[in-house]
Amino acid sequence: MAIDTTETTSASPTPHSPLGTRLSTRDKLVLFVLCAAQFMVALDFSVLNVALPVLGRDLGMSQSALQWAVTAFALPSGGFLLLFGRIGDLYGRRRLFLTGLALFGTASLLATFAWDPASFLTGRALQGLGAAAIVPTGMSLLTTTFPEGPARDRALGISGTLLSLGFTVGMVAGGVLTDVLSWRSTMGLLSVFALIVLPLAPGLLPESRTPERPRLDVPGAITVTGALLALIYALSTAAERGFGGADVIATLAAGVLLLAAFVYVESRAHAPLVSLPMLRRRTVAWGNLGGLVTFSMMSTVVFVLTLYLQETLGLSAFETGLVFGVQGVMSAVAGVYAPKAIGRFGARRTLVGSLAGQGLFVAGLVLLNAHTWSVWLATAAISLASMCHLGAIISYGLTVTSGVPDEEQGLATGLVTSTQQVGITIGIPLLGVLATTSSDLLAGVHTVLALDAVIVLAAAVLVATGLGRDRSRPVEAEALGLR
């Protein structure tokens, strides 16, 4: 089956560049719109972090309540990804993408001008709901607009680079904006992004959806959305209060039960929300495992390094941001070369090699100590690990979506982005808590980094074994001019 050609034609897109040629001007504009939206969402994950103490004092939020500034965004953005990805498949990806952009921009304005905790958290929750619509539909539009091969590889490379860069830029920009202006400017920045992208998108993006209109799998949608909401809530709360709380235990149990119910429902649904045969594909299963590990373990490294740099070495928030700024620059460099590595070696081998590199450079961070010169080791090791991390991001997304029919791209990219969201969410509560609860912070940081490295290296071995021999298209390298 193919994309709905009636809707696609109505958008009047120009033909895309053939394999091996440069992207056309329209291709570049389409890519700009899609990547700017993804960058905006990635920025939102981190831009508020440094501003939380100031925000709490301004709005009268207690220290314990500040976690909800993050959780209120994470719950809907992760919980509704699969559902919105499928709705976009069935009823129009561009339509839902534009709706998400409008909602995100409006919610950012509400958060900017919030007058009390309730109005601010409402804005954050609506931002998360908008992000849940933007991310899977944006990725689906990218993979259905650019044909499989070098054009898509290049587009995914740029998108992955900006995704990683957005998180890092957010950490730096959050500190600068809060110091120079106020915490409200961090939310205002997001509304400016939305106002730039939204007017450009309708005239550039072609509409696409599946040619048939099967009924939406409502039981599947309810169970998987409920499971994701429960799990993300439990893990986010555990990051602050540990796993011993009754609410954490109850929501973890509810999430597991709902996931089991979801699998049962999908095995019997006529038009399932998630195709179980797709989940049994080696590329989907093992590719998503690689993505889950690279995101969760790198988010943990960033978290414990932030504690180490400020609490052990005594760096300011701005100086800490500069360290991660170097990391961001190196990630951008990796984004240029990762597609070339994929063209030469194939996505699967690049994924395995990137995971191995990430694990090895994180292992080097175990040498950190309380001397100020360690900041140079931290900067170098996190930058090199992040370059490998960026390669893993791009190659795992390409591994999972390659060979998937256009009508299932929303599902495939929904799985990719759900893996990303869950990975970012679970890393800190699973490992980061070992550093925050340790009587000796430096010893706790060493323990976390060592475990982090072992998990990533073990994942590299498992993914290599699970994917088997890489049979990626050999023509890609020739088309990219690498042979």
Side-chain angles (χ1 to χ4, degrees), residues 23 31 35 142 146 149-161 339:
L23 297 179
L31 189 58
C35 287
L142 187 149
F146 294 93
R152 184 185 294 179
D153 295 353
R154 191 177 298 118
L156 284 172
I158 295 171
S159 177
T161 300

Side-chain angles (χ1 to χ4, degrees), residues 9 25 27 97 135 176 189 208 229 279 287 310 361 384 406 435 440 462:
T9 304
T25 300
D27 285 333
F97 179 80
V135 172
V176 173
L189 176 64
S208 69
L229 287 172
L279 291 178
Q310 295 190 42
F361 287 119
L384 293 170
D406 281 346
D440 183 341
L462 289 173

Side-chain angles (χ1 to χ4, degrees), residues 2-3 9 55 79-80 100 169 174 194 255 273 340 344 390 427:
I3 302 175
T9 304
L55 180 154
F80 289 92
V169 169
L273 181 68
K340 296 181 179 180
R344 184 177 293 275
L390 198 283

